[in-house]
Amino acid sequence: MSERIRPLIAGNWKMNGTSAALNEISRLRELIAEARRIAADILVCPPATLVHRAAQIAQGDAIALGGQDCHASRSGAYTGDISAEMLSDAGARYVILGHSERRAGHGETSAEVRAKAEAALAAGLVPVVCVGETETERAEGYANAVVGDQVTESLPDFAADAEIVVAYEPVWAIGTGKTPTIDDIAQMHRHIRQLLVDRFGAAGESARILYGGSVKPSNAGEILSTPNVNGALVGGASLKADDFFGIISAA
Ligand code: PEP
């Protein structure tokens, strides 16, 4: 069943891009308009400062916009933070949560990611919840256990009509040019699918599981045709519209 899920190709610009980068949204729009058929949903998550203007340039449904994090509370004395409602108000439809750079750099726990995901759902955003093991955890044979715990603890219960996306991103594959073997990707996505189905039933069967970590136009075709891989979360290769479109085309 999951093979028929429409893929989601999501770009994570991280802390890259000022106003000039909005040209990449215009270029992406052009490439999409010129294409005969687009077989994937497309999401760009720029820095929060660009979400509103990017949404205005994207105009319409072809390119969805997303945030890269949100606070678990709706509002309050949280200097420097941004709420899910604010992202939604700026034009976002998705929000990346629990990226390994936030888990490592900001000490985010799975419980915090779950609270943020609850806030995102309450604001009408689709949470893209990231999970993934470190190189040492894989080498020591704990990859399944670590990812399994993250999936279980980071995902909130959600209503049948809501949507949640899981992104499997091995930490050691992010920004390194290294990728797991296709067999390893298939095995981990099968593992995540089983956890989702066991917990959420039909909603778990249809939830998208993205792969992230050094996806580029040259390896996207093979990765995206792996069972239970329902799209990609792309960092570096999403910064240039032409590269990102190469990955979209592979879907
Ligand atoms: C990411 O940061 O989510 C990511 C997958 O980065 P990259 O594609 O650059 O490895």
Side-chain angles (χ1 to χ4, degrees), residues 97-155:
L97 295 173
H99 191 282
S100 62
E101 287 154 14
R102 293 207 61 87
R103 289 181 189 262
H106 296 260
E108 276 187 16
T109 63
S110 290
E112 284 163 343
V113 174
R114 178 183 170 134
K116 291 178 177 203
E118 281 164 359
L121 287 170
L125 297 179
V126 178
V128 178
V129 175
C130 302
V131 296
E133 82 285 357
T134 62
E135 194 153 33
T136 310
E137 286 162 347
R138 176 159 286 272
E140 291 179 355
Y142 297 126
N144 276 0
V146 167
V147 171
D149 285 351
Q150 288 178 341
V151 169
T152 303
E153 292 162 18
S154 305
L155 293 187

Side-chain angles (χ1 to χ4, degrees), residues 133 135 138 168-185 211-216 218-220 222-223 233:
E133 82 285 357
E135 194 153 33
R138 176 159 286 272
Y168 168 57
E169 300 205 301
V171 178
W172 51 273
I174 294 178
T176 59
K178 295 194 244 177
T179 52
T181 64
I182 292 296
D183 282 354
D184 284 343
I185 294 175
Y211 168 77
S214 297
V215 177
K216 43 190 190 254
S218 59
N219 63 14
E222 193 181 18
I223 291 173
L233 181 54

